[in-house]
């Protein structure tokens, strides 16, 4: 199953240095809940669109991780990885994103398909969004506007072997 792991640049550094990330992890994927959600809101959504929705949910979660990691570069980061289906348990909670799941399997670098990372132009907007993402989660309209500014930046795509060199450039 393809999962999208919210990350920070420090998480990416751990993956490069240690070759793995420990379990458990919160990830985003095409869960039955995500399929049901889109069946109501966009019945035409295909697998690619559902994967993109999971990626975007992971990018939003990356903002929350950045709030907890003041030493990380202010860029959203997401890892796409292919893990055993049995290791992924969807969260059955109406208060979490419909694509949220629990991963009970360490992520090894060989399972990582790609990394997705903001570029330098996004840093100012991401920094502002990190400061208000929890307020946006609680329904703050002004805070949501700030988060939307950060989410308006497209994440860059990097092959697994490019993660280390990209981190060296930050």
């Amino acid at each position: 199953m393809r999962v999208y792991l919210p990350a920070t640049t420090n998480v990416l550094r751990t993956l490069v240095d240690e070759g793995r990330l420990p379990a458990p992890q919160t990830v985003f994927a095409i869960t039955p809940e995500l399929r049901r959600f889109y069946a109501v809101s966009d019945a035409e959504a295909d697998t690619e669109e559902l994967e993109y929705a999971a990626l975007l949910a992971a990018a939003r979660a990356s903002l929350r991780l950045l709030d907890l990691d003041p030493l990380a570069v202010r860029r959203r980061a997401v890892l796409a990885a292919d893990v055993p289906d049995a290791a992924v348990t969807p969260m059955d909670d109406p208060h979490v994103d419909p694509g949220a799941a629990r991963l009970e399997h360490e992520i090894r670098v060989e399972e990582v398909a790609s990394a997705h990372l903001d570029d330098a132009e996004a840093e100012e907007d991401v920094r502002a969004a990190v400061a208000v993402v929890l307020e946006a989660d609680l329904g703050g309209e002004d805070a949501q506007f700030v988060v939307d500014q950060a989410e308006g930046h497209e994440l860059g795509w990097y092959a697994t072997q490019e993660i280390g060199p990209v981190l060296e450039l930050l």
Side-chain angles (χ1 to χ4, degrees):
M1 173 180 283
R2 173 69 50 99
V3 297
Y4 297 90
L5 174 75
T8 66
T9 54
N10 289 333
V11 171
L12 298 180
R13 173 56 55 203
T14 299
L15 176 68
V16 169
D17 291 349
E18 298 178 13
R20 64 181 197 81
L21 296 172
Q25 297 278 353
T26 297
V27 296
F28 296 84
I30 301 177
T31 62
E33 290 80 5
L34 185 66
R35 285 188 189 281
R36 279 193 292 277
F37 178 81
Y38 275 88
V40 172
S41 65
D42 184 4
E44 305 288 318
D46 62 14
T47 299
E48 187 175 314
E49 290 171 300
L50 295 173
E51 284 183 340
Y52 189 65
L55 171 71
L56 292 180
R60 167 70 72 102
S62 176
L63 290 174
R64 295 181 198 103
L65 292 178
L66 286 167
D67 186 42
L68 300 172
D69 188 354
L71 300 178
V73 177
R74 301 288 106 175
R75 297 187 190 191
R76 297 170 300 154
V78 176
L79 290 169
D82 296 314
V83 300
D85 292 357
V88 180
T89 306
M91 292 184 187
D92 188 17
D93 182 339
H95 303 291
V96 299
D97 187 277
R102 209 60 189 146
L103 177 64
E104 298 295 338
H105 170 80
E106 75 176 10
I107 294 179
R108 297 182 303 273
V109 71
E110 4 356 293
E111 295 169 318
V112 174
S114 59
H116 305 266
L117 187 67
D118 277 317
D119 62 20
E121 291 177 10
E123 281 189 42
E124 185 177 321
D125 288 337
V126 169
R127 183 174 291 106
V130 167
V132 299
V133 67
L134 298 178
E135 184 181 337
D137 288 345
L138 295 172
E141 290 180 19
D142 292 340
Q144 185 59 53
F145 178 79
V146 173
V147 170
D148 289 345
Q149 293 296 112
E151 291 178 338
H153 294 274
E154 286 291 324
L155 296 170
W157 180 95
Y158 299 92
T160 306
Q161 66 271 22
E162 295 176 308
I163 299 171
V166 166
L167 291 173
E168 297 305 320
L169 295 174
L170 300 180

